[in-house]
Amino acid sequence: MHVQEWLETVPAVSIYLLVGVVIGLESLGIPLPGEIVLVSSALLASQHGDIDPVVLGACASAGAIIGDSIGYAIGRRGGRPLLAWLGGKFPKHFGAPQIALAERSFEKWGMWAVFFGRFVALLRIFAGPLAGVLRMPYWKFLIANVLGGIVWAGGTTAVIYSVGVVAEAWLKRFSWLGLLAAVLIGVISMLVLKNRAKKAAEQADLPVPAPEPDAVRAAD
């Protein structure tokens, strides 16, 4: 059963709790589809008046902030051995390459990595525990965590809810084929942008080659 179809059978209060708990556990460091659940719930809210998008966004924000804070505390207490243990349990999410990428992001951006990491699936799982492991001052983490949680969860809810309302109006005027074409164009554009961003990040991380000895002597 599709996630949204299943959510339609759940009472509104249960959906608020579900979204908050799933996003909280994901922020804690457990690989769960928090973003999928939030998007599906926001779309459902746009089609059914029983679900308040404001309450939904607030529950998602609270789950993100609380989950990240607990993850920070666990990471600060567990340290590097915790990352090694997680790597053994979830190698696809906490393997050496993923941890190295997250650490480079934290070293380069600091508290901004916590804020912007909320919008990236990999860093969203890592942000709390890794900030604790790296001993980031809690006040810095808290500011970035609160702002990132509110902007990501509240913004995602608002955007998806608005898209759902507009899509429902479009369906009264256009065929499903036109809507499907629009969705495909959007997905393809997103994938192209993500691929270009990934290549740019990889090129930025490439080491600068050392000059050849002959070239150095020639320069002298």
Side-chain angles (χ1 to χ4, degrees), residues 148-166:
I150 292 175
V151 172
W152 173 75
T156 299
T157 303
V159 170
I160 299 301
Y161 177 83
S162 301
V163 169
V165 172
V166 172

Side-chain angles (χ1 to χ4, degrees), residues 13-219:
V13 175
S14 299
I15 289 179
Y16 300 147
L17 292 175
L18 175 68
V19 169
V21 169
V22 171
I23 292 178
L25 291 176
E26 183 191 37
S27 302
L28 183 73
I30 299 175
L32 290 175
E35 192 166 38
I36 294 177
V37 172
L38 177 58
V39 168
S40 299
S41 301
L43 281 175
L44 185 61
S46 70
Q47 307 298 319
H48 299 275
D50 294 338
I51 303 174
D52 189 336
V54 176
V55 177
L56 181 66
C59 291
S61 299
I65 295 169
I66 295 172
D68 251 5
S69 297
I70 296 175
Y72 174 91
I74 293 174
R76 193 174 181 89
R77 180 179 293 267
R80 294 281 176 179
L82 174 64
L83 295 180
W85 180 82
L86 289 173
K89 294 292 184 181
F90 307 102
K92 291 184 179 180
H93 296 88
F94 292 91
Q98 289 82 0
I99 291 178
L101 174 62
E103 286 187 334
R104 286 199 301 271
S105 300
F106 269 74
E107 290 173 358
K108 184 175 182 179
W109 302 106
M111 63 186 294
W112 288 109
V114 178
F115 178 85
F116 289 111
R118 175 56 59 183
F119 299 87
V120 181
L122 177 64
L123 291 179
R124 188 161 55 245
I125 299 173
F126 276 117
L130 191 57
V133 170
L134 297 179
R135 302 283 176 172
M136 175 182 288
Y138 183 70
W139 68 269
K140 289 185 177 181
F141 171 80
L142 182 61
I143 293 174
N145 178 31
V146 171
L147 293 178
I150 292 175
V151 172
W152 173 75
T156 299
T157 303
V159 170
I160 299 301
Y161 177 83
S162 301
V163 169
V165 172
V166 172
E168 186 179 19
W170 282 2
L171 289 176
K172 297 178 181 178
R173 301 180 182 180
F174 302 99
S175 66
W176 279 97
L177 184 61
L179 179 61
L180 179 61
V183 172
L184 287 176
I185 292 173
V187 170
I188 292 173
S189 301
M190 181 185 67
L191 292 176
V192 170
L193 290 174
K194 289 183 70 175
N195 185 52
R196 289 182 177 178
K198 181 179 179 181
K199 289 182 178 180
E202 291 175 350
Q203 291 177 358
D205 289 336
L206 288 177
V208 178
E212 296 292 336
D214 294 340
V216 174
R217 286 196 295 270

